[in-house]
Amino acid sequence: MSRTTRLAAAAAVLLVLAGTTAATAASADAPVAGAEATVAVGARGVAPVVSPDGAKAYVAVTEADNTSTVKIVDTQSGAVTARLALGTLQWGAHPALSPDGKRLYVLDGRRLSVVDTATLTLTATLTLPDQPRPAGWIAGSTSGLAFSPDGATLYVSQSGPTAYRQNGQSRILAFSTAQQAFTVSVQVPAPYVGAPAARPGTGDVYVGSSQGVVHVTAAATAPAVAGTVQGTASNLDYNLAFTPDGKRLFGLAELGSGASTIINPATDTVTATFSPATGGDSLENPQVSADGTRLYLADTNLGAGTASVLALDTATGAPVPADGAGNLDEDILTGLALGPDGHTFYVGGTVGQVGNLQIVAH
């Protein structure tokens, strides 16, 4: 073999190795898919969120002794690798993972727990500011969490205080992740609210309420209610989800027979209504795919005793059965997260007295 031939062969080998190294690096940077499994994680109230690399699922769950806990599930092996007790359950746990994946926040009643995800240790436990109310009234239940797009603010929704046959107004609280303190409270003109949703791009906050979908501006110094989306008041659109570009907002009616809405947040108007399922179906935890084309819903069919993940076309609300997941192992669903790979569902639910995290490829 001539020297020229040897040099050409060596160069070819180097190119192959360089390509292999680049492919390996690209593969390492891509979020991993979860391996299909059904993992017993507790007794009830299973609510998962997934790390940005897809390797871990953080699961808020209630144990049989009524303890609220967080567990880490390895998404490749299905093994529970760590557990952290947060205290006696107050109302119902709502987890939210910071955009960088470094902090997990769990809202349970008026308790907000801050967890370091690298070590699964509790770094802070905070109590929500007391809700203004007349003497003898009970503080309202908390409904959920949402991060601003930059991760600097965590929004908390809380229904209004109650007394016998009386209800006060709800509120949205803003929590500064840098200060680790609640900074702002905005009163919402409705007694009951669902989980908040922050609009990508602007950071304005929307919340489904018993009076319709309410828009709260995100001005740092003086956030305020901008208005209520007309055409949503009778739909009980408690569950909300934005497309990643922030151009469409889905207001999900909790019962399948109700009219869900597609909202244009630029004008705060309803552009379409749709019914994802039939009567008897309980719909929760809407998730939108990274490309914005699919809306996924956790569907518990109480009449048939079945559970599934529905997939809908985000442009029309029409079902896309091939992209969903049916015949799940759970009777009742309590949580749904879409893996960062875009092709894995992490479903929380119960069957009998057991709470499961089910990992499903789609």
Side-chain angles (χ1 to χ4, degrees):
M1 180 182 293
S2 69
R3 181 175 182 272
T4 301
T5 303
R6 288 197 304 270
L7 289 174
V13 170
L14 289 174
L15 286 172
V16 170
L17 290 175
T20 301
T21 301
T24 302
S27 176
D29 292 337
V32 298
E36 291 204 338
T38 298
V39 185
V41 291
R44 62 188 186 278
V46 181
V49 292
V50 185
S51 62
D53 63 2
K56 298 176 182 177
Y58 302 97
V59 186
V61 64
T62 303
E63 306 285 12
D65 63 359
N66 213 38
T67 302
S68 180
T69 66
V70 172
K71 295 182 180 178
I72 294 180
V73 175
D74 184 309
T75 64
Q76 306 307 293
S77 68
V80 176
T81 60
R83 176 185 182 276
L84 174 65
L86 302 179
T88 301
L89 184 74
Q90 292 190 3
W91 184 264
H94 305 279
L97 191 64
S98 62
D100 62 8
K102 294 181 178 180
R103 291 289 183 271
L104 175 70
Y105 293 81
V106 182
L107 176 68
D108 176 14
R110 292 184 60 206
R111 180 179 65 211
L112 181 65
S113 302
V114 186
V115 179
D116 183 310
T117 58
T119 59
L120 200 67
T121 55
L122 188 64
T123 64
T125 301
L126 305 112
T127 301
L128 270 62
D130 197 14
Q131 190 173 36
R133 60 188 187 277
W137 285 46
I138 300 172
S141 60
T142 49
S143 308
L145 301 169
F147 271 103
S148 61
D150 61 4
T153 305
L154 181 67
Y155 296 103
V156 179
S157 57
Q158 183 179 19
S159 292
T162 62
Y164 180 67
R165 293 185 177 179
Q166 299 180 83
N167 301 96
Q169 292 193 328
S170 306
R171 65 176 177 173
I172 296 290
L173 293 167
F175 178 83
S176 168
T177 57
Q179 301 175 39
Q180 291 288 282
F182 291 95
T183 56
V184 175
S185 176
V186 179
Q187 196 171 58
V188 175
Y192 301 109
V193 288
R199 184 184 179 191
T202 70
D204 281 9
V205 182
Y206 287 72
V207 65
S209 81
S210 50
Q211 301 300 314
V213 176
V214 178
H215 175 187
V216 178
T217 61
T221 53
V225 171
T228 301
V229 179
Q230 297 299 309
T232 60
S234 62
N235 295 329
L236 298 181
D237 299 336
Y238 284 168
N239 297 300
L240 305 180
F242 277 100
T243 52
D245 61 8
K247 293 182 178 180
R248 277 173 289 178
L249 172 64
F250 298 91
L252 179 65
E254 291 192 346
L255 297 179
S257 56
S260 296
T261 51
I262 301 176
I263 298 166
N264 179 359
T267 58
D268 282 351
T269 56
V270 173
T271 60
T273 60
F274 62 101
S275 296
T278 59
D281 288 47
S282 177
L283 305 175
E284 295 180 329
N285 306 112
Q287 306 282 317
V288 179
S289 61
D291 64 5
T293 64
R294 293 291 181 268
L295 173 67
Y296 300 108
L297 313 173
D299 177 17
T300 298
N301 188 320
L302 299 174
T306 60
S308 60
V309 176
L310 302 182
L312 308 175
D313 186 310
T314 55
T316 63
V320 187
D323 290 348
N327 300 315
L328 299 179
D329 294 339
E330 294 69 41
D331 296 325
I332 297 175
L333 301 187
T334 56
L336 172 64
L338 181 63
D341 68 312
H343 300 289
T344 309
F345 295 131
Y346 296 85
V347 185
T350 56
V351 53
Q353 302 299 312
V354 178
N356 289 336
L357 172 70
Q358 186 170 357
I359 303 174
V360 184
H362 71 95

